[in-house]
Amino acid sequence: MTISAVRTHRVSAPLHTPFVTALRRTTTVDTLLVELIDSDGRSGFGEAPQVWQVTGASVAGAQACVRELLGPLLTGRDPDDLVARCAEVQRAVVGNEAAKAAVDVALHDLAARRLGVPLVRLLGGTTLRVPTDVTLAAGDAVDLAAAARQRRADGFDVLKLKVGTDAAGDLDRVRAVRAAVGAGIRIRLDANQGWTPREAVRVIRGIEDAGLDVELVEQPVARWDLDGLAWVSDRVTVPILADEAVFGVRDLVEVIRRRAADLVNVKLAKCGGLQPARTLLELAAAHAMGTTVGSMMESQVGIGAAASLVAAYGTTAVADLDAAWWLAWSPVQGGIRYEDATVVLPNAPGLGISGVTEVKIQSRG
């Protein structure tokens, strides 16, 4: 049995609400879906999201990597030799983590389909329900408070507030959100590298002094400034979560060595897929470091894979897997769905995806 074809599908799907952070504003999910087809006609799917400001990945670049290198590498090979195939993908090209993640996930999806089990079962888990937070896009205090009340009404009990666009006003934003939702809702912050170390300490200490009960603060400073990240961590009580600072294993080793953060956010499109993501989670756990699993702005394909990882391996903090909730329509048939603050995995082989939606999708063999 072999991989007989590799196809790519370029997707641009609208969001129901603009997504705004300290790094960017977007109204669409622009992504590449990768489809591996075996000689029996079964398909496995993976995803490479375009995130210029975080990973540097683009749809065009990921498609070129898959079509010109990773696809030919896998065509004619045995998909059941999963560990070897994934290792070959990781060695084949420097960088290009999103493209490698798409192919890695597609290999896992295809392997699970061939066995007739959900992806979570292939990864060693059984649960089909994964709690998630929901993001409050960056904005002024009034808009954020209104969004927080709406998300609470939607059933979410962990809110991730995007800050970092204006350090002078961030304390007021957090105060407004806490007043809007009360004490029973968890609030976490994501500065997306938007603060200097001094700004980060000033804002976080203000939050602590005000008793606003923030669960954690994600990536307060620039990704390259590990000294600054460690400096912040040493001076505040609120746990610090490393996101953009950690793409792969070497990054996490350095964060651990410097004691620069309390937790790490593992994302498939940063590290290159499920295989390296499991290594990151195990490395963090071995050093008593907290974990969560997040995503870029992705479709049901990427979120389904990440949720399957969480269902099998667990995390110490609630996962950050609301990205597909923001979509106005799904670019695939089947896959995950949302019930309030829960990602529900399908009880079907692999990711449970039967095909791509034809509207606004360009496919190439």
Side-chain angles (χ1 to χ4, degrees):
M1 197 62 60
T2 63
I3 296 171
S4 61
V6 179
R7 295 177 182 167
T8 58
H9 310 274
R10 298 177 70 143
V11 174
S12 183
L15 306 180
H16 58 67
T17 306
F19 187 82
V20 185
T21 75
L23 292 175
R24 65 175 182 144
R25 181 184 190 277
T26 185
T27 58
T28 60
V29 166
D30 298 301
T31 193
L32 184 77
L33 302 183
V34 174
E35 181 181 5
L36 305 183
I37 305 170
D38 71 11
S39 48
D40 276 344
R42 299 186 194 85
S43 291
F45 292 91
E47 179 168 5
Q50 176 171 285
V51 197
W52 293 107
Q53 297 87 349
V54 180
T55 63
S58 68
V59 170
Q63 187 173 49
C65 183
V66 172
R67 291 181 63 208
E68 297 176 20
L69 184 62
L70 300 181
L73 175 72
L74 294 175
T75 302
R77 308 299 296 278
D78 184 355
D80 291 334
D81 200 356
L82 180 60
V83 173
R85 295 293 84 79
C86 289
E88 290 164 358
V89 167
Q90 296 300 321
R91 291 194 300 265
V93 59
V94 174
N96 289 275
E97 287 86 2
K100 290 191 286 192
V103 174
D104 172 285
V105 169
L107 283 166
H108 281 83
D109 184 27
L110 183 57
R113 286 172 185 271
R114 289 171 59 78
L115 292 171
V117 298
L119 177 57
V120 63
R121 293 295 299 273
L122 181 74
L123 297 176
T126 58
T127 184
L128 298 176
R129 301 178 65 86
V130 177
T132 182
D133 67 6
V134 71
T135 298
L136 303 181
D140 63 30
V142 173
D143 290 342
L144 284 167
R149 284 189 289 268
Q150 183 59 56
R151 297 294 87 83
R152 181 183 61 183
D154 290 335
F156 291 97
D157 56 5
V158 183
L159 306 179
K160 183 164 91 165
L161 170 57
K162 291 290 188 179
V163 292
T165 56
D166 167 31
D170 279 336
L171 177 56
D172 288 338
R173 292 180 177 90
V174 179
R175 198 189 310 272
V177 169
R178 176 54 75 198
V181 300
I185 301 293
R186 272 180 284 174
I187 296 174
R188 51 179 62 167
L189 307 184
D190 186 0
N192 284 116
Q193 312 178 62
W195 294 327
T196 67
R198 289 187 184 279
E199 287 173 338
V201 170
R202 185 164 58 250
V203 173
I204 297 169
R205 283 183 175 173
I207 289 166
E208 292 171 346
D209 292 344
L212 296 177
D213 190 22
V214 166
E215 177 192 16
L216 57 87
V217 175
E218 185 172 357
Q219 200 60 49
V221 301
R223 57 173 292 191
W224 49 263
D225 189 6
L226 291 188
D227 288 337
L229 190 64
W231 192 84
V232 173
S233 293
D234 284 344
R235 286 161 176 79
V236 299
T237 301
V238 174
I240 300 300
L241 170 64
D243 179 9
E244 292 95 334
V246 177
F247 274 54
V249 170
R250 290 181 178 85
D251 298 329
L252 181 55
V253 167
E254 191 62 16
V255 167
I256 292 169
R257 188 184 70 81
R258 299 193 193 196
R259 300 182 184 275
D262 303 289
L263 308 94
V264 61
N265 190 346
V266 175
K267 297 179 178 178
L268 304 184
K270 283 193 306 177
C271 69
L274 289 164
Q275 202 90 319
R278 285 178 281 183
T279 301
L280 290 172
L281 291 174
E282 290 168 354
L283 177 61
H287 289 83
M289 188 179 194
T291 56
T292 190
V293 169
S295 73
M296 306 304 173
M297 291 306 289
E298 303 178 37
S299 78
Q300 286 78 358
V301 177
I303 297 302
S308 297
L309 176 67
V310 176
Y313 278 73
T315 55
T316 63
V318 169
D320 178 26
L321 297 176
D322 63 319
W325 175 87
W326 291 74
L327 286 169
W329 52 266
S330 173
V332 296
Q333 299 153 16
I336 62 107
R337 58 187 173 87
Y338 290 89
E339 284 186 4
D340 297 330
T342 300
V343 179
V344 181
L345 295 163
N347 189 14
L351 292 169
I353 293 168
S354 58
V356 298
T357 305
E358 293 303 320
V359 180
K360 296 184 181 179
I361 293 181
Q362 299 177 356
S363 301
R364 300 188 71 168

